Amino acid sequence: MRYLPLTDTDRQEMLSVIGAASIDDLFVDVPAEARLTGTIAGLPDHASELAVERHMAALARKNLSAGEAPFFLGAGAYRHHVPASVDHLIQRGEFLTAYTPYQPEIAQGTLQVLFEFQTQVARLLGCDVANASMYDGSTACWEAIGMARRITKRGKAILSSGLHPHYVSVARTMAKFTGDALAHEAPALDAATDIDALIASIDKDTSCVVVQYPDILGRIADLAPLAEAAHAAGALLVAVVTEPVALGAIKAPGHMGADIVVGEGQSIGVGLQFGGPYLGLFACKQKYVRQMPGRLCGETVDAAGKRGFVLTLSTREQHIRREKATSNICTNSGLCALAFSIHMTLLGERGLRELATLNHGLAAQAADRLSQVPGVTLLNDSFFNEFTLILSKDARDVVRTLADKGVLAGVSLGRLFPQTSAIGNGLVVAVTETVTAEDIESLAAALEEELA
């Protein structure tokens, strides 16, 4: 739908129909002191379409985009190759313009794709059932905490120090309105995860323990002991996956006892897109399905006995229950879910495993090379495609300098945890199939120069 501005003649015709002499007559109920009488200070006045295009193009040229430089950024958003067929298919009119499929008789295609998406996500995360997606990984994480509160009737969530700080921030914002108590500390630059500390902190008031897998430092832990300890205390285990490609190589959280598994689906089919829109994944055990937020597509048969698809258990939704709904931010990301499903279908199980193997192999190659640079120490003893380096100086300064030289080196822990100076020398480096041997050598050479 294009934006086509009205002409003065159009405006006058509309005003005459409603009996108004001018546009100002439409705002007579707004107090005069609250009305804007001139331009807004600091903002430019209106401009022609051509002038705006030129201005925006000039601003865009200041960006260093992912495809123009050696790229090692990760920490929750990853650069993967998305086949051109994904973008082609999601732009079909019946998908691109589709809204929430409330009317199944005219939305069978959308419903079927979402049903297939749910199946793929449930299998990927190792759970019984998945919903039709959510906004993004961070809000899905909060929804899992809220769901655990409803199930356990408790209001204390323990958040792993390895949970992405942006996810923690979203949870803290939402907890202001629910009264949930959130326990969280910043991570230490240690190869060991905080699983033992999390187990020790579980008590009778704990609704859930939230742990990222792999965590913000790239570390991978066995979640089974944590799940056992949580269940023994009547609490739930919530696992957060920000890099779903990893599950082509490592065990799914649901298979280690996680009750709810959420995450960010951007890695598969969606692309970086300067920060969004992204795709929230949400799955759980079958016995908790009625407390799960979001939409759920189910399979049924019509009056003629033919297979069909419908929204099911929809009384949970805000469009019916309002303040009694399980969620009020559970609108799905349908188009991104479609992209995820198409990309996953093109890969298949074997393709996903091969992609994961390629990612890990390149990451291991990069870790070996970068750890040879004087002033660089590799933190991790295990990782998938993301690991943490400890530099001999503040990583924020290094990242800035290298960016100016055309190398996007990674994400500094000082940026993620600005209040924790003890980890300021940490640099989180992500390596996907888009990284070449030349890119790795460029980063190594840049680090050698900067840390000399």
Side-chain angles (χ1 to χ4, degrees):
M1 183 172 64
R2 295 188 177 189
Y3 169 66
L4 300 176
L6 300 172
T7 65
D8 289 338
T9 301
D10 293 332
R11 295 190 183 95
Q12 289 302 320
E13 184 177 349
M14 294 168 70
L15 289 169
S16 65
V17 169
I18 63 176
S22 69
I23 291 177
D24 290 339
D25 290 349
L26 303 179
F27 301 95
V28 293
D29 294 325
V30 178
E33 60 272 17
R35 299 180 207 167
L36 185 66
T37 57
T39 59
I40 301 175
L43 290 181
D45 201 357
H46 66 278
S48 69
E49 182 176 342
L50 179 59
V52 171
E53 287 179 355
R54 286 173 174 166
H55 178 68
M56 298 304 292
L59 293 177
R61 282 194 292 272
K62 296 181 179 181
N63 290 323
L64 179 60
S65 65
E68 298 175 347
F71 186 89
F72 298 90
L73 302 181
Y78 302 91
R79 184 185 179 219
H80 290 282
H81 173 69
V82 179
S85 50
V86 174
D87 189 55
H88 175 75
L89 289 172
I90 68 173
Q91 291 192 55
R92 289 180 60 95
E94 57 266 54
F95 291 132
L96 192 61
T97 61
Y99 187 57
T100 303
Y102 297 126
Q103 297 173 274
E105 64 274 16
I106 60 172
Q108 282 300 293
T110 297
L111 285 163
Q112 180 171 352
V113 167
L114 291 176
F115 182 83
E116 300 293 348
F117 167 82
Q118 292 170 176
T119 303
Q120 291 171 330
V121 172
R123 292 190 61 185
L124 184 68
L125 303 184
C127 294
D128 300 324
V129 60
N131 69 15
S133 81
M134 305 193 77
Y135 275 139
D136 56 24
S138 62
T139 48
C141 177
W142 163 252
E143 289 293 339
I145 296 172
M147 178 174 163
R149 181 184 66 253
R150 293 191 297 273
I151 293 171
T152 64
K153 304 298 189 291
R154 300 173 180 177
K156 175 186 174 183
I158 300 172
L159 312 184
S160 166
S161 63
L163 179 62
H164 197 301
H166 295 173
Y167 287 47
V168 175
S169 179
V170 168
R172 283 177 172 161
T173 297
M174 297 304 296
K176 293 177 182 177
F177 303 97
T178 63
D180 283 77
L182 305 180
H184 175 262
E185 295 180 357
L189 287 178
D190 193 324
T193 63
D194 62 352
I195 296 297
D196 291 340
L198 291 172
I199 291 174
S201 64
I202 300 172
D203 58 28
K204 60 181 178 58
D205 299 318
T206 303
S207 65
C208 64
V209 180
V210 184
V211 59
Q212 185 171 318
Y213 173 83
D215 72 7
I216 189 63
L217 303 185
R219 301 171 301 189
I220 302 172
D222 181 3
L223 302 184
L226 181 58
E228 184 178 349
H231 297 158
L236 304 184
L237 175 60
V238 176
V240 177
V241 178
T242 63
E243 171 54 297
V245 175
L247 300 181
I250 60 178
K251 196 171 184 177
H255 295 154
M256 290 184 282
D259 302 282
I260 306 171
V261 184
V262 300
E264 176 56 63
Q266 170 272 322
S267 279
I268 300 177
V270 179
L272 288 171
Q273 303 177 144
F274 292 98
Y278 285 170
L279 168 66
L281 308 179
F282 199 110
C284 67
K285 292 181 177 178
Q286 179 72 36
K287 63 181 178 180
Y288 300 132
V289 65
R290 290 187 176 274
Q291 290 297 332
M292 185 170 64
R295 299 184 173 93
L296 192 69
C297 294
E299 181 179 351
T300 186
V301 294
D302 64 14
K306 295 182 179 179
R307 185 178 72 152
F309 302 91
V310 295
L311 287 181
T312 187
L313 298 179
S314 58
T315 53
R316 81 189 66 211
E317 286 297 343
Q318 66 266 38
H319 62 269
I320 294 177
R321 302 192 67 188
R322 297 190 180 185
E323 70 278 0
K324 294 182 180 180
T326 55
S327 167
N328 289 117
I329 59 168
C330 62
T331 295
N332 64 323
S333 295
L335 196 63
C336 294
L338 172 65
F340 178 103
S341 191
I342 292 172
H343 193 180
M344 185 66 79
T345 301
L346 291 171
L347 285 170
E349 181 176 350
R350 186 175 69 178
L352 179 64
R353 294 190 184 281
E354 291 175 353
L355 178 61
T357 300
L358 178 59
N359 272 245
H360 177 65
L362 285 168
Q365 178 184 337
D368 288 343
R369 175 65 182 92
L370 297 174
S371 61
Q372 295 171 11
V373 175
V376 175
T377 304
L378 176 65
L379 172 74
N380 306 63
D381 53 21
S382 65
F383 56 87
F384 170 60
N385 69 351
E386 192 166 30
F387 50 85
T388 298
L389 300 177
I390 304 174
L391 309 183
S392 58
K393 62 170 64 174
D394 192 305
R396 281 171 290 191
D397 298 333
V398 175
V399 167
R400 180 68 269 167
T401 301
L402 266 59
D404 292 338
K405 295 180 179 179
V407 177
L408 298 173
V411 179
S412 64
L413 290 178
R415 179 180 180 180
L416 291 176
F417 300 92
Q419 307 304 319
T420 310
S421 58
I423 61 174
N425 287 20
L427 177 67
V428 180
V429 176
V431 181
T432 71
E433 75 281 0
T434 64
V435 170
T436 66
E438 291 77 15
D439 292 337
I440 296 171
E441 196 56 41
S442 294
L443 176 56
L447 283 174
E448 287 177 355
E449 181 180 348
E450 180 61 21
L451 300 177

